[in-house]
């Protein structure tokens, strides 16, 4: 049972990482990075590290995503990206 | 199983770091590399059947059923340092955009 969850989690992590690097839209790439971070939270819980999981959920999926989004918004104001 | 996925995630991040030409994409690849490395360090201290290393009234003995808490403390520090690295990279990207007017590395030498 746990093995099936781990296999599905591994395939989703690798697939999302590949799509995040190969898509053209920047905001889609940032959102896929947030999804990878949420899947990493599930991986940390499965590996019996709940404190790391809470920190990753707050910082990796919230703070880093907001940093990327506000940086992209500041680019949109001054001109078009690429 | 998860440690192999972590190694593949690290390799995908390294590939993106070396082949992408857009600065935001390079920082995203750096984040993917960092997540893969964190999962791998956590899997070093894990073994089958271990419980979370929290001292509770249910498990009030200091026995050997805990997984190793030392890699978890190291990864907790590494996550916070990763946020600092990402913020520094994004600040440098803003300054580069103000200087050159583009974020693509191939278009920077033309103007």
């Amino acid at each position: 049972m746990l093995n099936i969850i781990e296999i599905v989690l591994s395939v989703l992590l690798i697939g999302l990482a590949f799509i995040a690097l190969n898509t053209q839209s920047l905001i889609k790439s940032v959102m896929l990075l947030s999804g990878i971070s949420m899947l990493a939270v599930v991986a940390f819980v499965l590996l019996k590290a709940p404190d790391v999981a809470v920190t990753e959920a707050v910082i990796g999926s919230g703070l880093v995503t907001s940093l990327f989004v506000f940086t992209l918004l500041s680019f949109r104001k001054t001109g078009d990206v690429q | 199983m998860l440690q192999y996925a972590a190694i593949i995630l690290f390799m995908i991040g390294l590939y993106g770091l070396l082949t992408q030409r857009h600065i935001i994409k390079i920082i995203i690849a750096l984040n993917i590399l960092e997540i893969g490395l964190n999962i791998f360090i956590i899997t070093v201290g894990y073994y089958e059947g271990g419980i979370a290393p929290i001292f509770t009234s249910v498990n009030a003995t200091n026995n050997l059923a805990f997984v190793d808490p030392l890699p978890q403390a190291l990864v907790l520090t590494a996550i916070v340092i990763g946020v600092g690295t990402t913020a520094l990279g994004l600040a440098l990207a803003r300054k580069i955009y103000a200087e050159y007017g583009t974020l693509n590395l191939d278009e920077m030498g033309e103007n």
Side-chain angles (χ1 to χ4, degrees):
Chain A
M1 184 61 192
L2 196 62
N3 207 6
I4 296 173
I5 297 176
E6 283 187 2
I7 290 172
V8 171
L9 196 62
S10 306
V11 171
L12 275 178
L13 271 172
I14 295 166
L16 279 189
F18 198 73
I19 297 170
L21 283 181
N22 280 316
T23 183
Q24 289 297 319
S25 165
L26 284 179
I27 191 69
K28 259 183 209 170
S29 191
V30 171
M31 288 303 143
L32 284 169
L33 181 67
S34 178
I36 292 170
S37 198
M38 287 313 279
L39 288 175
V41 169
V42 180
F44 286 143
V45 170
L46 284 183
L47 292 172
K48 300 289 190 300
D51 46 349
V52 182
V54 170
T55 311
E56 176 77 25
V58 172
I59 289 181
S61 191
L63 189 59
V64 170
T65 308
S66 66
L67 275 176
F68 271 108
V69 167
F70 284 128
T71 309
L72 288 182
L73 281 178
S74 76
F75 290 147
R76 300 273 183 221
K77 271 175 201 162
T78 53
D80 206 3
V81 177
Q82 69 180 338
Chain B
M1 187 61 209
L2 270 175
Q3 62 263 38
Y4 302 114
I7 292 171
I8 296 172
L9 211 59
F10 180 84
M11 288 303 167
I12 289 175
L14 194 60
Y15 163 76
L17 199 63
L18 292 177
T19 56
Q20 295 291 322
R21 308 301 295 166
H22 198 273
I23 291 179
I24 305 292
K25 283 291 190 63
I26 290 175
I27 301 173
I28 286 171
L30 194 64
N31 269 294
I32 290 172
L33 187 148
E34 182 203 322
I35 289 173
L37 198 57
N38 286 340
I39 294 176
F40 182 73
I41 296 175
I42 289 289
T43 56
V44 169
Y46 177 74
Y47 66 93
E48 287 288 334
I51 62 174
I54 299 173
F55 191 77
T56 59
S57 62
V58 178
N59 192 3
T61 58
N62 199 2
N63 58 11
L64 291 177
F66 292 150
V67 297
D68 195 5
L70 180 63
Q72 302 184 5
L74 294 178
V75 166
L76 208 59
T77 313
I79 287 173
V80 180
I81 292 176
V83 178
T85 312
T86 306
L88 177 66
L90 287 173
L92 285 177
R94 282 195 65 170
K95 297 298 277 184
I96 286 172
Y97 189 77
E99 177 78 23
Y100 290 96
T102 179
L103 281 173
N104 201 329
L105 290 178
D106 290 330
E107 298 170 358
M108 268 176 204
E110 295 171 359
N111 45 8

